[in-house]
Amino acid sequence: MSRAPTQPAYVLHQWDWSETSLVLDLFTRDLGRIAVVAKGAKRPYSQLRSVLLPFQRIAVSLTRPRPPSSGGDASEIHTLRSAEFIGPLAALPPERLFSGFYLNELLMKLLARHDPHEQLFAAYGQALATLAWADEQAALRAFELELMREVGVLPELGRTTTTLRALEPAAPYRLSGEAGLAEAPLADFQGALAGEHWLALAQALQTQDHTALCTAALAAGPALRTQLRALLHYHLGTSRLRSRDAMRDARALLDAASSGDRLSISASGNPS
């Protein structure tokens, strides 16, 4: 067995591997997204139980089998030797956990294994901090933009994709999977964004300014959300994401419960 250097990581997902062990999907700074076996992590006395949590920055020490022969490929499955918190601990509010799992699902679907993205790793940590303490929609839009740029599916936002024309600040533009960024026809510019919004987003991405990117995303409003989601669905090949389905189901249950409470109060004249 060979040991990989200790490095920071986040737990994206975990599965049961046996009665006592787990398989983890980790997003690491230097190795990218990797699969890891955590032996004994489910045992009641295991210290790993309280460490291998989503949305927390941890330091992991890993081992992996050596190649079977010179020039052979190493196994894709790493083995976890140790893990510890390296903070800061920033727990997501309960109402924002689904948004955190949405970010994790995007990473798992769009990132190939063993493809390091150090800048995206930092952007993910910033997105979690924004989710924990600031605006939820800003965190989501900023991370969607950073992720798609890193994996090479986000068109340049400072000019049109096919004609390479610089954007006019007041002109409407729309982003799509087929045409990239294009000027919206005057007869159909509903939901398009003014060039000034795309230029602000492009500038923030270029300078890697997370705060400016969040500010520009908020200024763009719901139209940006609609266009980025459509672009994500185009490249994912599906509009169904498990985290989003789970969030809709949970909200439907909460709405139904709330409606039932209101009906009970209305029928009795008093809270039940």
Side-chain angles (χ1 to χ4, degrees):
M1 302 288 283
S2 62
R3 181 182 301 185
T6 300
Q7 61 181 290
Y10 293 96
V11 176
L12 298 179
H13 195 61
Q14 59 179 243
W15 300 266
D16 290 337
W17 185 51
S18 67
E19 291 185 0
T20 61
S21 302
L22 296 169
V23 172
L24 308 171
D25 202 319
L26 294 186
F27 182 33
T28 70
R29 185 188 61 195
D30 301 326
L31 299 175
R33 189 171 70 87
I34 58 175
V36 174
V37 172
K39 296 181 179 179
K42 293 170 59 179
R43 290 181 177 138
Y45 53 82
S46 173
Q47 295 180 343
L48 294 174
R49 289 168 61 92
S50 61
V51 176
L52 300 177
L53 302 175
F55 318 128
Q56 301 295 342
R57 186 179 170 105
I58 60 177
V60 295
S61 175
L62 307 169
T63 59
R64 57 189 174 194
R66 295 182 184 276
S69 61
S70 60
D73 293 331
S75 171
E76 289 191 356
I77 305 297
H78 299 249
T79 300
L80 184 69
R81 290 178 56 87
S82 65
E84 60 182 357
F85 286 119
I86 54 176
L89 301 181
L92 295 184
E95 66 273 14
R96 296 190 177 184
L97 288 174
F98 282 117
S99 290
F101 286 118
Y102 168 71
L103 299 187
N104 287 2
E105 187 172 4
L106 288 182
L107 286 171
M108 292 172 64
K109 288 183 178 295
L110 285 174
L111 285 188
R113 292 198 186 276
H114 304 284
D115 186 13
H117 290 275
E118 185 173 349
Q119 185 175 325
L120 184 63
F121 184 86
Y124 177 76
Q126 291 173 321
L128 293 180
T130 305
L131 274 179
W133 305 113
D135 189 89
E136 180 178 22
Q137 292 302 313
L140 297 179
R141 301 293 82 76
F143 188 74
E144 287 169 348
L145 286 163
E146 290 166 317
L147 173 58
M148 286 192 285
R149 182 193 59 180
E150 277 290 305
V151 299
V153 299
L154 182 69
E156 185 179 345
L157 301 183
R159 57 182 179 177
T160 57
T161 302
T162 57
T163 62
L164 303 181
R165 293 175 56 186
L167 303 191
E168 296 291 338
Y173 298 88
R174 184 178 286 114
L175 187 64
S176 70
E178 295 85 358
L181 188 62
E183 189 166 358
L186 293 178
D188 183 27
F189 62 84
Q190 185 176 4
L193 278 174
E196 61 181 336
H197 292 300
W198 293 116
L199 290 169
L201 293 167
Q203 176 66 18
L205 283 170
Q206 182 178 359
T207 58
Q208 301 178 23
D209 188 332
H210 178 75
T211 301
L213 186 59
C214 288
T215 300
L218 279 180
L224 178 63
R225 175 178 184 253
T226 301
Q227 295 187 56
L228 292 184
R229 290 289 174 86
L231 186 61
L232 280 166
H233 294 162
Y234 177 84
H235 290 292
L236 289 171
T238 178
S239 61
R240 301 296 300 272
L241 291 171
R242 294 178 61 187
S243 54
R244 203 178 300 156
D245 287 344
M247 179 172 62
R248 281 196 293 262
D249 292 344
R251 286 178 175 171
L253 288 172
L254 291 173
D255 290 343
S258 177
S259 176
D261 290 343
R262 288 196 298 269
L263 289 173
S264 177
I265 293 172
S266 175
S268 65
N270 296 295
S272 58

